[in-house]
Amino acid sequence: MPKHALVSSLIGFALVGAVTAGGIAMASDSTELALTNGSARYIAPSGDSAGSATFTADVRDDSGVRSLKVLAWPGSSKLDPTAAELRHTNDATCRSTSDDTSRCTYTLKVTKKEASRLDRGTWYVSALATAKDGDTVFVPHAATLHVND
């Protein structure tokens, strides 16, 4: 094989290798849909003021965040919500914090009358995040909160 053909072949191989390696690096840099930093808080009504149950989480995906569905349920109920069931629940409000991350918050006002009917004790929050590219992630126990008097 002539020397110049061998050099051309090696340059071509190096370019293909560089492009392939770059493609792998780009693929590994992409972020999968993730829900992180989930926290929940219950504040009982006081005086004439309503209370609230609030869930906050960071949702990240390289395509962006479409929605976060939330369901709070008492641990004593033995519920076991599924991703399919969460598709028909309440939406959190999501605000973009970067190109691929949003801070999502869901707040439910709780009146004294409603609070008197709530199961006391541990509650769980289930969450279903959906990315703009259609990917979903379901977190059955995204956070825990405690409902007390």
Side-chain angles (χ1 to χ4, degrees), residues 78-113:
K78 306 297 182 207
L79 287 176
D80 192 14
T82 65
E85 292 167 332
L86 257 72
R87 286 187 174 94
H88 308 288
T89 62
N90 302 311
D91 280 311
T93 300
C94 296
R95 300 207 187 318
S96 180
T97 58
S98 70
D99 289 343
D100 63 358
T101 305
S102 291
R103 167 70 49 94
C104 300
T105 303
Y106 176 74
T107 301
L108 177 65
K109 297 287 182 195
V110 180
T111 66
K112 279 188 177 185
K113 185 176 181 180

Side-chain angles (χ1 to χ4, degrees), residues 23 34-35 57 61 83 89 92 103 107 114 124 128 139 141 144-145:
L35 188 146
D61 188 76
T89 62
R103 167 70 49 94
T107 301
E114 292 165 336
Y124 300 107
L128 175 67
V139 182
H141 290 165
T144 302
L145 62 100

Side-chain angles (χ1 to χ4, degrees), residues 1 5 12 19 21-22 24 33 35 42 46 48 52 54 57 59 70 83 101-102 111 113 125 128-129 131 141 147:
M1 175 180 253
V19 170
I24 291 169
L33 181 60
L35 188 146
Y42 173 75
S46 175
D48 292 336
S52 63
T54 302
V59 182
V70 177
T101 305
S102 291
T111 66
K113 185 176 181 180
V125 178
L128 175 67
H141 290 165
V147 175

Side-chain angles (χ1 to χ4, degrees), residues 42-64:
Y42 173 75
I43 299 173
S46 175
D48 292 336
S49 300
S52 63
T54 302
F55 172 73
T56 302
D58 294 325
V59 182
R60 185 186 76 225
D61 188 76
D62 56 357
S63 72

Side-chain angles (χ1 to χ4, degrees), residues 72-77 119-125 143-148:
W73 48 281
S76 62
S77 71
D119 289 353
R120 299 294 179 245
T122 301
W123 283 57
Y124 300 107
V125 178
T144 302
L145 62 100
H146 299 281
V147 175
N148 302 317

